[in-house]
Amino acid sequence: MADLFSLKNRVVLLTGASRGLGRDMALTLARAGATVLCAGRTVKALEATAKAISRKGGRAHVVPLDVTDEAAVREQVENIIARHRRIDVLVNNAGVLSREPIVDLATESFRLTVETDLIAPFVLSREIGRHMLKRKYGRIVNIASVLAVVARARVSGYVSAKHGIVGLTKSLAVEFGPDVTANAIAPGYIRTEINVALQQNKGFSDMLEQRTASHRWGRPEDLRGALLLLASDAGAYITGHTLVVDGGLSTVLA
Ligand code: NAD
């Protein structure tokens, strides 16, 4: 049965692979057999991820990329296709978040979040989707959020972009089927650098642990099963879906 979730001989482009969820995803994908192309802006940190993979006998390469730079995306996709011949799996993981009430939020800040969390996944999916469609194989996995399903105060750019990515995922599924699937994972609160302020806020942490069915914060490894399902042949008949992995947070009313 392990073969069902294997990524042997697959080439995966993963954005935001330098830290947090992206780093764990990179290691997970490599352990499943993939060659992982670790994309992001901070080359040193990406090299550390790639090294951690090769130390365990896996294959990884660093792809310097700011996902909001459309020309750079085009150029790197061409480079990858020239070097590796294909991209079998795209994981749109890179993301940013800013915390401010709407009345104080500058348009530029809202725009940057939408550029990074929604428009960049669109551009990457379009550029790589063309190749996937030609090859008649592809898996696109977008990292959304529980804030793609419900909202919270002071993160309107993020909530808007993440709700948007659920729609983008459905649109990709409709236009790219049957050979290319597109799905999203909506994680709940997972301890990473993106939410250090919330981890340090006892009131928030207590609330989260109390109203999550799992009674705890998530860990990066909690996403591994969902990722492998949607990135592998196991997910061949799943498309357009947003898989919520939140320990029950969005299920519990109080
Ligand atoms: P993180 O801040 O630790 O990592 C974000 C990654 O994205 C970093 O590697 C960063 O360098 C990269 N990135 C940001 N802007 C970029 C750009 N313009 N170009 C290239 N790379 C860029 O956060 P994380 O928790 O690991 O988040 C990863 C993804 O998971 C994000 O999309 C986030 O919205 C989502 N998510 C996280 C949580 C959580 O609780 N941690 C919950 C739901 C969704």
Side-chain angles (χ1 to χ4, degrees), residues 15-22 39-42 65-68 92-96 116-117 143-146 158 162 187-195:
T15 66
S18 63
R19 66 181 207 186
L21 302 184
R41 296 166 302 180
T42 40
L65 181 66
D66 179 336
V67 295
T68 63
N92 282 311
N93 166 71
V96 294
T116 311
D117 296 6
I143 306 305
S145 165
V146 71
Y158 189 80
K162 294 296 187 182
Y189 286 86
I190 319 277
R191 286 185 198 274
T192 68
E193 289 176 49
I194 211 171
N195 50 36

PDB file of all heavy atoms in Angstrom, residues 15-22 39-42 65-68 92-96 116-117 143-146 158 162 187-195, ligand 1:
ATOM      1  N   THR A  15       7.198  25.925  -2.766  1.00  0.00           N
ATOM      2  CA  THR A  15       7.582  27.305  -2.432  1.00  0.00           C
ATOM      3  C   THR A  15       7.595  27.492  -0.912  1.00  0.00           C
ATOM      4  O   THR A  15       6.868  26.815  -0.182  1.00  0.00           O
ATOM      5  CB  THR A  15       6.616  28.329  -3.077  1.00  0.00           C
ATOM      6  OG1 THR A  15       5.323  28.185  -2.486  1.00  0.00           O
ATOM      7  CG2 THR A  15       6.526  28.143  -4.576  1.00  0.00           C
ATOM      8  N   GLY A  16       8.442  28.412  -0.467  1.00  0.00           N
ATOM      9  CA  GLY A  16       8.525  28.685   0.973  1.00  0.00           C
ATOM     10  C   GLY A  16       9.100  27.512   1.739  1.00  0.00           C
ATOM     11  O   GLY A  16       8.653  27.186   2.841  1.00  0.00           O
ATOM     12  N   ALA A  17      10.144  26.891   1.159  1.00  0.00           N
ATOM     13  CA  ALA A  17      10.689  25.648   1.733  1.00  0.00           C
ATOM     14  C   ALA A  17      11.742  25.900   2.804  1.00  0.00           C
ATOM     15  O   ALA A  17      12.323  24.969   3.342  1.00  0.00           O
ATOM     16  CB  ALA A  17      11.280  24.791   0.614  1.00  0.00           C
ATOM     17  N   SER A  18      11.984  27.178   3.124  1.00  0.00           N
ATOM     18  CA  SER A  18      13.107  27.485   4.009  1.00  0.00           C
ATOM     19  C   SER A  18      12.824  27.171   5.475  1.00  0.00           C
ATOM     20  O   SER A  18      13.728  26.862   6.231  1.00  0.00           O
ATOM     21  CB  SER A  18      13.486  28.958   3.868  1.00  0.00           C
ATOM     22  OG  SER A  18      12.420  29.781   4.283  1.00  0.00           O
ATOM     23  N   ARG A  19      11.581  27.247   5.866  1.00  0.00           N
ATOM     24  CA  ARG A  19      11.295  27.095   7.304  1.00  0.00           C
ATOM     25  C   ARG A  19       9.838  26.666   7.502  1.00  0.00           C
ATOM     26  O   ARG A  19       9.077  26.504   6.539  1.00  0.00           O
ATOM     27  CB  ARG A  19      11.570  28.407   8.031  1.00  0.00           C
ATOM     28  CG  ARG A  19      10.628  29.519   7.606  1.00  0.00           C
ATOM     29  CD  ARG A  19      10.910  30.833   8.301  1.00  0.00           C
ATOM     30  NE  ARG A  19       9.691  31.623   8.381  1.00  0.00           N
ATOM     31  CZ  ARG A  19       9.636  32.867   8.826  1.00  0.00           C
ATOM     32  NH1 ARG A  19      10.735  33.457   9.242  1.00  0.00           N
ATOM     33  NH2 ARG A  19       8.493  33.508   8.887  1.00  0.00           N
ATOM     34  N   GLY A  20       9.464  26.510   8.752  1.00  0.00           N
ATOM     35  CA  GLY A  20       8.064  26.249   9.111  1.00  0.00           C
ATOM     36  C   GLY A  20       7.485  25.033   8.411  1.00  0.00           C
ATOM     37  O   GLY A  20       8.134  23.992   8.275  1.00  0.00           O
ATOM     38  N   LEU A  21       6.254  25.176   7.963  1.00  0.00           N
ATOM     39  CA  LEU A  21       5.566  24.052   7.324  1.00  0.00           C
ATOM     40  C   LEU A  21       6.296  23.619   6.063  1.00  0.00           C
ATOM     41  O   LEU A  21       6.377  22.429   5.753  1.00  0.00           O
ATOM     42  CB  LEU A  21       4.127  24.457   6.972  1.00  0.00           C
ATOM     43  CG  LEU A  21       3.253  24.931   8.133  1.00  0.00           C
ATOM     44  CD1 LEU A  21       1.832  25.202   7.650  1.00  0.00           C
ATOM     45  CD2 LEU A  21       3.240  23.894   9.248  1.00  0.00           C
ATOM     46  N   GLY A  22       6.848  24.597   5.325  1.00  0.00           N
ATOM     47  CA  GLY A  22       7.527  24.283   4.064  1.00  0.00           C
ATOM     48  C   GLY A  22       8.722  23.372   4.264  1.00  0.00           C
ATOM     49  O   GLY A  22       8.950  22.437   3.484  1.00  0.00           O
ATOM     50  N   ALA A  39      11.994  26.180  -3.280  1.00  0.00           N
ATOM     51  CA  ALA A  39      11.972  27.555  -3.783  1.00  0.00           C
ATOM     52  C   ALA A  39      11.689  28.544  -2.665  1.00  0.00           C
ATOM     53  O   ALA A  39      10.928  28.256  -1.734  1.00  0.00           O
ATOM     54  CB  ALA A  39      10.911  27.685  -4.873  1.00  0.00           C
ATOM     55  N   GLY A  40      12.325  29.710  -2.784  1.00  0.00           N
ATOM     56  CA  GLY A  40      12.088  30.774  -1.820  1.00  0.00           C
ATOM     57  C   GLY A  40      13.124  31.868  -1.964  1.00  0.00           C
ATOM     58  O   GLY A  40      13.969  31.825  -2.861  1.00  0.00           O
ATOM     59  N   ARG A  41      13.046  32.837  -1.046  1.00  0.00           N
ATOM     60  CA  ARG A  41      13.925  34.007  -1.182  1.00  0.00           C
ATOM     61  C   ARG A  41      15.227  33.872  -0.409  1.00  0.00           C
ATOM     62  O   ARG A  41      16.234  34.448  -0.791  1.00  0.00           O
ATOM     63  CB  ARG A  41      13.201  35.272  -0.689  1.00  0.00           C
ATOM     64  CG  ARG A  41      11.993  35.649  -1.507  1.00  0.00           C
ATOM     65  CD  ARG A  41      11.156  36.666  -0.786  1.00  0.00           C
ATOM     66  NE  ARG A  41      10.725  36.158   0.523  1.00  0.00           N
ATOM     67  CZ  ARG A  41       9.973  36.826   1.389  1.00  0.00           C
ATOM     68  NH1 ARG A  41       9.570  38.037   1.095  1.00  0.00           N
ATOM     69  NH2 ARG A  41       9.623  36.282   2.528  1.00  0.00           N
ATOM     70  N   THR A  42      15.200  33.141   0.689  1.00  0.00           N
ATOM     71  CA  THR A  42      16.377  33.101   1.558  1.00  0.00           C
ATOM     72  C   THR A  42      17.208  31.854   1.255  1.00  0.00           C
ATOM     73  O   THR A  42      16.971  30.771   1.820  1.00  0.00           O
ATOM     74  CB  THR A  42      15.952  33.097   3.042  1.00  0.00           C
ATOM     75  OG1 THR A  42      14.811  32.243   3.151  1.00  0.00           O
ATOM     76  CG2 THR A  42      15.569  34.478   3.520  1.00  0.00           C
ATOM     77  N   LEU A  65      13.831  32.224  -5.492  1.00  0.00           N
ATOM     78  CA  LEU A  65      12.629  32.763  -6.137  1.00  0.00           C
ATOM     79  C   LEU A  65      11.791  33.588  -5.177  1.00  0.00           C
ATOM     80  O   LEU A  65      11.411  33.113  -4.106  1.00  0.00           O
ATOM     81  CB  LEU A  65      11.763  31.594  -6.667  1.00  0.00           C
ATOM     82  CG  LEU A  65      10.474  31.977  -7.389  1.00  0.00           C
ATOM     83  CD1 LEU A  65      10.769  32.716  -8.695  1.00  0.00           C
ATOM     84  CD2 LEU A  65       9.627  30.743  -7.675  1.00  0.00           C
ATOM     85  N   ASP A  66      11.491  34.819  -5.592  1.00  0.00           N
ATOM     86  CA  ASP A  66      10.447  35.597  -4.931  1.00  0.00           C
ATOM     87  C   ASP A  66       9.174  35.311  -5.712  1.00  0.00           C
ATOM     88  O   ASP A  66       9.075  35.677  -6.888  1.00  0.00           O
ATOM     89  CB  ASP A  66      10.804  37.088  -4.970  1.00  0.00           C
ATOM     90  CG  ASP A  66       9.744  37.957  -4.306  1.00  0.00           C
ATOM     91  OD1 ASP A  66       8.565  37.514  -4.223  1.00  0.00           O
ATOM     92  OD2 ASP A  66      10.072  39.060  -3.871  1.00  0.00           O
ATOM     93  N   VAL A  67       8.210  34.660  -5.078  1.00  0.00           N
ATOM     94  CA  VAL A  67       7.027  34.204  -5.828  1.00  0.00           C
ATOM     95  C   VAL A  67       6.173  35.351  -6.362  1.00  0.00           C
ATOM     96  O   VAL A  67       5.340  35.150  -7.238  1.00  0.00           O
ATOM     97  CB  VAL A  67       6.140  33.239  -4.990  1.00  0.00           C
ATOM     98  CG1 VAL A  67       6.871  31.951  -4.682  1.00  0.00           C
ATOM     99  CG2 VAL A  67       5.602  33.908  -3.735  1.00  0.00           C
ATOM    100  N   THR A  68       6.396  36.570  -5.842  1.00  0.00           N
ATOM    101  CA  THR A  68       5.606  37.711  -6.342  1.00  0.00           C
ATOM    102  C   THR A  68       6.241  38.348  -7.578  1.00  0.00           C
ATOM    103  O   THR A  68       5.686  39.282  -8.147  1.00  0.00           O
ATOM    104  CB  THR A  68       5.442  38.804  -5.256  1.00  0.00           C
ATOM    105  OG1 THR A  68       6.743  39.316  -4.920  1.00  0.00           O
ATOM    106  CG2 THR A  68       4.770  38.258  -4.019  1.00  0.00           C
ATOM    107  N   ASN A  92       2.097  25.124  -3.548  1.00  0.00           N
ATOM    108  CA  ASN A  92       2.093  26.565  -3.294  1.00  0.00           C
ATOM    109  C   ASN A  92       1.953  26.783  -1.794  1.00  0.00           C
ATOM    110  O   ASN A  92       0.847  26.829  -1.256  1.00  0.00           O
ATOM    111  CB  ASN A  92       0.920  27.224  -4.023  1.00  0.00           C
ATOM    112  CG  ASN A  92       1.187  27.417  -5.498  1.00  0.00           C
ATOM    113  OD1 ASN A  92       2.238  27.942  -5.889  1.00  0.00           O
ATOM    114  ND2 ASN A  92       0.258  26.978  -6.343  1.00  0.00           N
ATOM    115  N   ASN A  93       3.110  26.890  -1.135  1.00  0.00           N
ATOM    116  CA  ASN A  93       3.112  27.001   0.327  1.00  0.00           C
ATOM    117  C   ASN A  93       3.509  28.395   0.829  1.00  0.00           C
ATOM    118  O   ASN A  93       3.055  28.819   1.889  1.00  0.00           O
ATOM    119  CB  ASN A  93       4.070  25.939   0.902  1.00  0.00           C
ATOM    120  CG  ASN A  93       4.392  26.197   2.355  1.00  0.00           C
ATOM    121  OD1 ASN A  93       3.554  26.035   3.239  1.00  0.00           O
ATOM    122  ND2 ASN A  93       5.627  26.641   2.614  1.00  0.00           N
ATOM    123  N   ALA A  94       4.361  29.109   0.078  1.00  0.00           N
ATOM    124  CA  ALA A  94       4.846  30.421   0.541  1.00  0.00           C
ATOM    125  C   ALA A  94       3.657  31.308   0.900  1.00  0.00           C
ATOM    126  O   ALA A  94       2.671  31.360   0.175  1.00  0.00           O
ATOM    127  CB  ALA A  94       5.693  31.077  -0.537  1.00  0.00           C
ATOM    128  N   GLY A  95       3.778  32.004   2.024  1.00  0.00           N
ATOM    129  CA  GLY A  95       2.675  32.876   2.413  1.00  0.00           C
ATOM    130  C   GLY A  95       3.129  33.920   3.418  1.00  0.00           C
ATOM    131  O   GLY A  95       4.131  33.731   4.113  1.00  0.00           O
ATOM    132  N   VAL A  96       2.412  35.022   3.458  1.00  0.00           N
ATOM    133  CA  VAL A  96       2.674  36.062   4.455  1.00  0.00           C
ATOM    134  C   VAL A  96       1.360  36.459   5.118  1.00  0.00           C
ATOM    135  O   VAL A  96       0.274  36.163   4.608  1.00  0.00           O
ATOM    136  CB  VAL A  96       3.332  37.324   3.844  1.00  0.00           C
ATOM    137  CG1 VAL A  96       4.726  37.030   3.333  1.00  0.00           C
ATOM    138  CG2 VAL A  96       2.456  37.915   2.745  1.00  0.00           C
ATOM    139  N   THR A 116       1.078  37.703  -2.555  1.00  0.00           N
ATOM    140  CA  THR A 116       1.871  36.539  -2.152  1.00  0.00           C
ATOM    141  C   THR A 116       1.000  35.295  -1.996  1.00  0.00           C
ATOM    142  O   THR A 116       1.372  34.212  -2.438  1.00  0.00           O
ATOM    143  CB  THR A 116       2.572  36.823  -0.793  1.00  0.00           C
ATOM    144  OG1 THR A 116       3.227  38.086  -0.863  1.00  0.00           O
ATOM    145  CG2 THR A 116       3.598  35.735  -0.470  1.00  0.00           C
ATOM    146  N   ASP A 117      -0.148  35.460  -1.354  1.00  0.00           N
ATOM    147  CA  ASP A 117      -0.936  34.296  -0.932  1.00  0.00           C
ATOM    148  C   ASP A 117      -1.965  33.851  -1.975  1.00  0.00           C
ATOM    149  O   ASP A 117      -2.505  32.750  -1.865  1.00  0.00           O
ATOM    150  CB  ASP A 117      -1.666  34.600   0.394  1.00  0.00           C
ATOM    151  CG  ASP A 117      -0.686  34.846   1.551  1.00  0.00           C
ATOM    152  OD1 ASP A 117       0.527  34.897   1.305  1.00  0.00           O
ATOM    153  OD2 ASP A 117      -1.156  35.005   2.692  1.00  0.00           O
ATOM    154  N   ILE A 143      -1.585  25.603  -0.236  1.00  0.00           N
ATOM    155  CA  ILE A 143      -1.725  25.646   1.220  1.00  0.00           C
ATOM    156  C   ILE A 143      -2.606  26.843   1.569  1.00  0.00           C
ATOM    157  O   ILE A 143      -2.182  27.999   1.455  1.00  0.00           O
ATOM    158  CB  ILE A 143      -0.351  25.707   1.929  1.00  0.00           C
ATOM    159  CG1 ILE A 143       0.538  24.536   1.461  1.00  0.00           C
ATOM    160  CG2 ILE A 143      -0.557  25.673   3.446  1.00  0.00           C
ATOM    161  CD1 ILE A 143      -0.058  23.131   1.628  1.00  0.00           C
ATOM    162  N   ALA A 144      -3.832  26.539   1.946  1.00  0.00           N
ATOM    163  CA  ALA A 144      -4.798  27.575   2.331  1.00  0.00           C
ATOM    164  C   ALA A 144      -4.683  27.795   3.841  1.00  0.00           C
ATOM    165  O   ALA A 144      -3.568  27.951   4.363  1.00  0.00           O
ATOM    166  CB  ALA A 144      -6.194  27.152   1.914  1.00  0.00           C
ATOM    167  N   SER A 145      -5.776  27.748   4.553  1.00  0.00           N
ATOM    168  CA  SER A 145      -5.766  27.954   6.005  1.00  0.00           C
ATOM    169  C   SER A 145      -7.182  27.726   6.505  1.00  0.00           C
ATOM    170  O   SER A 145      -8.152  27.802   5.737  1.00  0.00           O
ATOM    171  CB  SER A 145      -5.350  29.396   6.318  1.00  0.00           C
ATOM    172  OG  SER A 145      -5.655  29.715   7.660  1.00  0.00           O
ATOM    173  N   VAL A 146      -7.304  27.495   7.794  1.00  0.00           N
ATOM    174  CA  VAL A 146      -8.640  27.460   8.377  1.00  0.00           C
ATOM    175  C   VAL A 146      -9.299  28.834   8.169  1.00  0.00           C
ATOM    176  O   VAL A 146     -10.528  28.957   8.111  1.00  0.00           O
ATOM    177  CB  VAL A 146      -8.557  27.035   9.871  1.00  0.00           C
ATOM    178  CG1 VAL A 146      -7.936  28.135  10.718  1.00  0.00           C
ATOM    179  CG2 VAL A 146      -9.901  26.635  10.414  1.00  0.00           C
ATOM    180  N   TYR A 158      -5.202  38.380   4.711  1.00  0.00           N
ATOM    181  CA  TYR A 158      -4.950  36.937   4.760  1.00  0.00           C
ATOM    182  C   TYR A 158      -6.249  36.156   4.551  1.00  0.00           C
ATOM    183  O   TYR A 158      -6.313  35.219   3.751  1.00  0.00           O
ATOM    184  CB  TYR A 158      -4.332  36.621   6.114  1.00  0.00           C
ATOM    185  CG  TYR A 158      -3.789  35.224   6.293  1.00  0.00           C
ATOM    186  CD1 TYR A 158      -2.538  34.865   5.792  1.00  0.00           C
ATOM    187  CD2 TYR A 158      -4.504  34.260   6.998  1.00  0.00           C
ATOM    188  CE1 TYR A 158      -2.021  33.594   5.987  1.00  0.00           C
ATOM    189  CE2 TYR A 158      -3.997  32.987   7.201  1.00  0.00           C
ATOM    190  CZ  TYR A 158      -2.751  32.656   6.695  1.00  0.00           C
ATOM    191  OH  TYR A 158      -2.248  31.398   6.895  1.00  0.00           O
ATOM    192  N   LYS A 162      -6.839  33.783   1.405  1.00  0.00           N
ATOM    193  CA  LYS A 162      -7.007  32.346   1.645  1.00  0.00           C
ATOM    194  C   LYS A 162      -8.400  31.873   1.196  1.00  0.00           C
ATOM    195  O   LYS A 162      -8.533  30.767   0.682  1.00  0.00           O
ATOM    196  CB  LYS A 162      -6.749  32.008   3.116  1.00  0.00           C
ATOM    197  CG  LYS A 162      -5.288  32.237   3.563  1.00  0.00           C
ATOM    198  CD  LYS A 162      -4.304  31.325   2.841  1.00  0.00           C
ATOM    199  CE  LYS A 162      -2.893  31.438   3.403  1.00  0.00           C
ATOM    200  NZ  LYS A 162      -1.924  30.593   2.682  1.00  0.00           N
ATOM    201  N   PRO A 187      -4.747  24.234   6.915  1.00  0.00           N
ATOM    202  CA  PRO A 187      -4.289  23.906   8.274  1.00  0.00           C
ATOM    203  C   PRO A 187      -4.930  24.824   9.307  1.00  0.00           C
ATOM    204  O   PRO A 187      -5.225  25.980   9.034  1.00  0.00           O
ATOM    205  CB  PRO A 187      -2.768  24.176   8.211  1.00  0.00           C
ATOM    206  CG  PRO A 187      -2.429  24.413   6.761  1.00  0.00           C
ATOM    207  CD  PRO A 187      -3.695  24.891   6.123  1.00  0.00           C
ATOM    208  N   GLY A 188      -5.102  24.264  10.500  1.00  0.00           N
ATOM    209  CA  GLY A 188      -5.485  25.089  11.647  1.00  0.00           C
ATOM    210  C   GLY A 188      -4.238  25.785  12.163  1.00  0.00           C
ATOM    211  O   GLY A 188      -3.336  26.113  11.391  1.00  0.00           O
ATOM    212  N   TYR A 189      -4.161  26.008  13.472  1.00  0.00           N
ATOM    213  CA  TYR A 189      -3.004  26.716  14.037  1.00  0.00           C
ATOM    214  C   TYR A 189      -1.873  25.729  14.323  1.00  0.00           C
ATOM    215  O   TYR A 189      -1.992  24.868  15.186  1.00  0.00           O
ATOM    216  CB  TYR A 189      -3.407  27.484  15.289  1.00  0.00           C
ATOM    217  CG  TYR A 189      -4.212  28.715  14.932  1.00  0.00           C
ATOM    218  CD1 TYR A 189      -5.581  28.650  14.739  1.00  0.00           C
ATOM    219  CD2 TYR A 189      -3.569  29.936  14.731  1.00  0.00           C
ATOM    220  CE1 TYR A 189      -6.314  29.770  14.369  1.00  0.00           C
ATOM    221  CE2 TYR A 189      -4.290  31.065  14.363  1.00  0.00           C
ATOM    222  CZ  TYR A 189      -5.659  30.969  14.182  1.00  0.00           C
ATOM    223  OH  TYR A 189      -6.373  32.085  13.809  1.00  0.00           O
ATOM    224  N   ILE A 190      -0.788  25.876  13.568  1.00  0.00           N
ATOM    225  CA  ILE A 190       0.364  24.986  13.675  1.00  0.00           C
ATOM    226  C   ILE A 190       1.533  25.852  14.159  1.00  0.00           C
ATOM    227  O   ILE A 190       1.769  26.931  13.584  1.00  0.00           O
ATOM    228  CB  ILE A 190       0.744  24.394  12.293  1.00  0.00           C
ATOM    229  CG1 ILE A 190      -0.498  23.991  11.482  1.00  0.00           C
ATOM    230  CG2 ILE A 190       1.754  23.270  12.455  1.00  0.00           C
ATOM    231  CD1 ILE A 190      -1.093  22.677  11.764  1.00  0.00           C
ATOM    232  N   ARG A 191       2.249  25.403  15.156  1.00  0.00           N
ATOM    233  CA  ARG A 191       3.351  26.220  15.698  1.00  0.00           C
ATOM    234  C   ARG A 191       4.446  26.431  14.659  1.00  0.00           C
ATOM    235  O   ARG A 191       5.167  25.496  14.320  1.00  0.00           O
ATOM    236  CB  ARG A 191       3.977  25.530  16.905  1.00  0.00           C
ATOM    237  CG  ARG A 191       3.141  25.584  18.148  1.00  0.00           C
ATOM    238  CD  ARG A 191       3.917  24.978  19.304  1.00  0.00           C
ATOM    239  NE  ARG A 191       3.047  24.611  20.396  1.00  0.00           N
ATOM    240  CZ  ARG A 191       2.666  25.461  21.352  1.00  0.00           C
ATOM    241  NH1 ARG A 191       3.090  26.698  21.345  1.00  0.00           N
ATOM    242  NH2 ARG A 191       1.860  25.049  22.314  1.00  0.00           N
ATOM    243  N   THR A 192       4.559  27.655  14.141  1.00  0.00           N
ATOM    244  CA  THR A 192       5.680  28.040  13.270  1.00  0.00           C
ATOM    245  C   THR A 192       5.970  29.522  13.536  1.00  0.00           C
ATOM    246  O   THR A 192       5.292  30.158  14.349  1.00  0.00           O
ATOM    247  CB  THR A 192       5.360  27.877  11.759  1.00  0.00           C
ATOM    248  OG1 THR A 192       4.373  28.845  11.405  1.00  0.00           O
ATOM    249  CG2 THR A 192       4.895  26.483  11.407  1.00  0.00           C
ATOM    250  N   GLU A 193       6.922  30.063  12.781  1.00  0.00           N
ATOM    251  CA  GLU A 193       7.296  31.468  13.000  1.00  0.00           C
ATOM    252  C   GLU A 193       6.198  32.446  12.610  1.00  0.00           C
ATOM    253  O   GLU A 193       6.211  33.598  13.028  1.00  0.00           O
ATOM    254  CB  GLU A 193       8.586  31.775  12.245  1.00  0.00           C
ATOM    255  CG  GLU A 193       9.779  31.100  12.892  1.00  0.00           C
ATOM    256  CD  GLU A 193      11.053  31.317  12.095  1.00  0.00           C
ATOM    257  OE1 GLU A 193      11.342  32.464  11.741  1.00  0.00           O
ATOM    258  OE2 GLU A 193      11.745  30.318  11.841  1.00  0.00           O
ATOM    259  N   ILE A 194       5.257  32.000  11.778  1.00  0.00           N
ATOM    260  CA  ILE A 194       4.216  32.915  11.299  1.00  0.00           C
ATOM    261  C   ILE A 194       3.276  33.315  12.451  1.00  0.00           C
ATOM    262  O   ILE A 194       2.619  34.346  12.386  1.00  0.00           O
ATOM    263  CB  ILE A 194       3.421  32.282  10.120  1.00  0.00           C
ATOM    264  CG1 ILE A 194       2.914  33.347   9.142  1.00  0.00           C
ATOM    265  CG2 ILE A 194       2.269  31.415  10.590  1.00  0.00           C
ATOM    266  CD1 ILE A 194       2.322  32.805   7.853  1.00  0.00           C
ATOM    267  N   ASN A 195       3.219  32.496  13.526  1.00  0.00           N
ATOM    268  CA  ASN A 195       2.262  32.787  14.599  1.00  0.00           C
ATOM    269  C   ASN A 195       2.902  32.813  15.994  1.00  0.00           C
ATOM    270  O   ASN A 195       2.246  32.488  16.990  1.00  0.00           O
ATOM    271  CB  ASN A 195       1.082  31.795  14.548  1.00  0.00           C
ATOM    272  CG  ASN A 195       1.560  30.352  14.466  1.00  0.00           C
ATOM    273  OD1 ASN A 195       2.564  29.988  15.067  1.00  0.00           O
ATOM    274  ND2 ASN A 195       0.846  29.534  13.725  1.00  0.00           N
TER     275      ASN A 195
HETATM  276  P1  NAD B   1       6.445  30.820   7.835  1.00  0.00           P
HETATM  277  O1  NAD B   1       6.341  32.291   7.961  1.00  0.00           O
HETATM  278  O2  NAD B   1       7.303  30.082   8.805  1.00  0.00           O
HETATM  279  O3  NAD B   1       6.867  30.393   6.375  1.00  0.00           O
HETATM  280  C1  NAD B   1       6.426  31.088   5.232  1.00  0.00           C
HETATM  281  C2  NAD B   1       7.400  30.800   4.113  1.00  0.00           C
HETATM  282  O4  NAD B   1       7.001  31.515   2.945  1.00  0.00           O
HETATM  283  C3  NAD B   1       8.812  31.270   4.462  1.00  0.00           C
HETATM  284  O5  NAD B   1       9.725  30.297   4.008  1.00  0.00           O
HETATM  285  C4  NAD B   1       8.951  32.558   3.668  1.00  0.00           C
HETATM  286  O6  NAD B   1      10.262  32.898   3.353  1.00  0.00           O
HETATM  287  C5  NAD B   1       8.133  32.194   2.433  1.00  0.00           C
HETATM  288  N1  NAD B   1       7.742  33.375   1.652  1.00  0.00           N
HETATM  289  C6  NAD B   1       7.008  34.435   2.058  1.00  0.00           C
HETATM  290  N2  NAD B   1       6.905  35.338   1.054  1.00  0.00           N
HETATM  291  C7  NAD B   1       7.586  34.816  -0.016  1.00  0.00           C
HETATM  292  C8  NAD B   1       7.856  35.272  -1.324  1.00  0.00           C
HETATM  293  N3  NAD B   1       7.415  36.458  -1.773  1.00  0.00           N
HETATM  294  N4  NAD B   1       8.584  34.480  -2.137  1.00  0.00           N
HETATM  295  C9  NAD B   1       9.044  33.291  -1.722  1.00  0.00           C
HETATM  296  N5  NAD B   1       8.836  32.809  -0.481  1.00  0.00           N
HETATM  297  C10 NAD B   1       8.116  33.561   0.360  1.00  0.00           C
HETATM  298  O7  NAD B   1       4.952  30.282   7.916  1.00  0.00           O
HETATM  299  P2  NAD B   1       4.332  28.803   7.869  1.00  0.00           P
HETATM  300  O8  NAD B   1       3.511  28.653   9.071  1.00  0.00           O
HETATM  301  O9  NAD B   1       5.350  27.789   7.564  1.00  0.00           O
HETATM  302  O10 NAD B   1       3.334  28.986   6.650  1.00  0.00           O
HETATM  303  C11 NAD B   1       3.420  28.266   5.439  1.00  0.00           C
HETATM  304  C12 NAD B   1       2.079  28.347   4.738  1.00  0.00           C
HETATM  305  O11 NAD B   1       1.089  27.730   5.555  1.00  0.00           O
HETATM  306  C13 NAD B   1       1.589  29.775   4.475  1.00  0.00           C
HETATM  307  O12 NAD B   1       0.923  29.831   3.236  1.00  0.00           O
HETATM  308  C14 NAD B   1       0.611  29.993   5.604  1.00  0.00           C
HETATM  309  O13 NAD B   1      -0.360  30.945   5.288  1.00  0.00           O
HETATM  310  C15 NAD B   1       0.009  28.620   5.744  1.00  0.00           C
HETATM  311  N6  NAD B   1      -0.623  28.354   7.025  1.00  0.00           N
HETATM  312  C16 NAD B   1       0.106  28.307   8.175  1.00  0.00           C
HETATM  313  C17 NAD B   1      -0.556  28.035   9.357  1.00  0.00           C
HETATM  314  C18 NAD B   1       0.157  27.940  10.680  1.00  0.00           C
HETATM  315  O14 NAD B   1      -0.510  27.873  11.702  1.00  0.00           O
HETATM  316  N7  NAD B   1       1.459  27.913  10.725  1.00  0.00           N
HETATM  317  C19 NAD B   1      -1.922  27.838   9.378  1.00  0.00           C
HETATM  318  C20 NAD B   1      -2.630  27.909   8.195  1.00  0.00           C
HETATM  319  C21 NAD B   1      -1.968  28.154   7.018  1.00  0.00           C
END
